[in-house]
Each structure stands twice: as C-alpha cells, then as structure tokens.
Amino acid sequence: MPKEKTVKKSRQHQAVQKQGINFNKDFGQHILKNPLIVTSMVEKAALRTTDVVLEVGPGTGNMTVKFPSQNKLQLMIGDVLKTELPFFDVCVANLPYQISSPFVFKLLLHRPFFRCAVLMFQREFAQRLVAQPGDKLYCRLSINTQLLARVDLLMKVGKNNFRPPPKVESSVVRIEPRNPPPPINFQEWDGLVRICFSRKNKTLGAAFK
C-alpha cells in the first residue's frame, strides 16, 4: 500500500485549531498574521481612549486586542451588510474582499457620522477608490466615494502577510466622510453616474441619447 502523505501545519495554525476555530478562504477568511501591519493599521486610526471602534471580521482577535476599549467588547454575529450598524467613532477592519464595495457605501451613508475608517482591501479596489480623472482605474466607484469622503492610500500589503495567502495583493486605505455631506440626493446622483459609465467607449452625449 502507498504511504499516506502527512501535511505539516504551522504551530500558529495548530493553535487556532485547538481553539475550535476553522477558517474558510472561500468566504474571504484570510487572517492577517503580521503583527507590524496590525499595529500600523491601529496607529493610523489615531484612536482615542474614549472611542467606540467597529471591527468587521475580527478573525483571531489579533487586531481587537490593540484597541483601547478592548475590555468593553460587544460581539455581534451576522451578515454586516444586513445588520444595522451601532454607533461608532472609528472603523478598523480587514474585510472579506467580496463585500468591499457595498460595505464602503454602507459606511458612508451611515448616520451619525463616524470620524474615520482604516480598511484593508484588494489592491486594485483600493486604487479605484483613490483614482483621479484620466486614470485608467477611474470609475463610478472613484467618483461616488470621493464625493462622500476623503480617501488616502496608506500602505501596500503583500499576500504573504496572510494565512492562508490570498491570490491578490492588498492595500490599506483611510476614509474620512465629508461632514456635512454634499447637498444632493445620492440615489439620483448614483443613477446619473451609472449612465455616464455604462459604456466606456461612448461619449456622454451618446450615452444620454
């Protein structure tokens, strides 16, 4: 009989399994393992001791323990896109990348206003958030996000900083909502921008005809 191959697992992975935690990368569960990046993200958020912090997808909690109010943890279980968000001052999170776009706009339309969000995204998505007119990646996402917020690219994060490594590179951005927001109906504005970007090779005149 052929011998079975044994798969060696890292000590960190074994420790996580002992805690009864199993991660599924099909659901975007790539755990940020580099403590320097975790610490840097929290530092970029400039947290105050009185801040209420919202974290989405805490994983092993390696970022949660860096927050000043970690001893007042309130855990919410569910789909963040379907859940009414509580009051918070700052959002710091390593998100499942497949919910990036709807989560950004859920944040930006959230009231009352929060101060800032420091978020990890797939690199191309992050580049779209900060793209300027004339850039190849400039799109509806760029316009709508920058209409409602100031967005800054903070740092690049390689795939080897995650467990298991994803297939894409990542970046961290800081989002600060514009307060007060522009005096427009966002749904109507978004409908207008959607028409403008519906066909890349058409002029605006042809698109509106």
Side-chain angles (χ1 to χ4, degrees):
M1 291 180 64
K3 294 183 179 180
E4 292 184 1
K5 292 183 179 180
T6 57
V7 179
K8 292 184 179 180
K9 298 180 180 179
S10 67
R11 292 180 181 178
Q12 197 173 22
H13 182 76
Q14 291 173 345
V16 169
Q17 280 197 326
K18 287 181 180 179
Q19 296 171 5
I21 305 173
N22 291 309
F23 295 109
N24 188 333
K25 63 182 180 181
D26 292 336
F27 297 153
Q29 294 175 323
H30 298 272
I31 307 304
L32 181 60
K33 65 180 183 180
N34 188 330
L36 295 178
I37 295 176
V38 171
T39 300
S40 181
M41 287 182 67
V42 175
E43 289 177 349
K44 297 291 186 183
L47 298 178
R48 304 166 186 169
T49 55
T50 56
D51 279 341
V52 176
V53 184
L54 173 69
E55 183 184 6
V56 180
T60 60
N62 60 346
M63 185 178 291
T64 313
V65 297
K66 302 290 185 181
F67 301 147
S69 55
Q70 56 166 297
N71 58 336
K72 299 179 181 179
L73 177 67
Q74 179 182 352
L75 185 64
M76 299 177 67
I77 300 175
D79 184 338
V80 69
L81 298 180
K82 299 177 181 177
T83 301
E84 183 177 351
L85 298 180
F87 168 83
F88 63 95
D89 299 293
V90 178
C91 178
V92 186
N94 171 27
L95 293 167
Y97 291 167
Q98 62 265 36
I99 67 168
S100 295
S101 185
F103 182 74
V104 165
F105 289 105
K106 185 178 180 73
L107 273 187
L108 292 178
L109 298 176
H110 177 72
R111 300 294 182 269
F113 283 97
F114 59 97
R115 190 167 72 251
C116 76
V118 176
L119 306 171
M120 181 91 70
F121 294 118
Q122 180 177 335
R123 185 165 300 167
E124 184 175 321
F125 182 87
Q127 290 171 335
R128 290 179 184 277
L129 289 178
V130 300
Q132 297 298 306
D135 294 347
K136 288 183 178 180
L137 292 177
Y138 190 66
C139 61
R140 177 171 154 243
L141 174 68
S142 316
I143 293 177
N144 284 344
T145 305
Q146 294 171 36
L147 173 76
L148 299 176
R150 174 184 172 183
V151 190
D152 295 300
L153 196 61
L154 298 181
M155 58 180 161
K156 297 178 180 179
V157 182
K159 61 182 70 174
N160 291 331
N161 291 289
F162 297 86
R163 187 186 73 253
K167 295 179 180 179
V168 297
E169 303 291 340
S170 303
S171 291
V172 177
V173 303
R174 179 185 172 96
I175 298 175
E176 296 180 23
R178 300 189 188 279
N179 187 6
I184 63 166
N185 180 310
F186 181 74
Q187 281 69 33
E188 291 182 0
W189 168 264
D190 183 49
L192 174 68
V193 176
R194 188 187 297 270
I195 294 173
C196 295
F197 282 86
S198 60
R199 294 187 181 179
K200 292 183 179 180
N201 296 326
K202 273 196 171 186
T203 63
L204 288 178
F208 281 100
K209 287 179 181 178

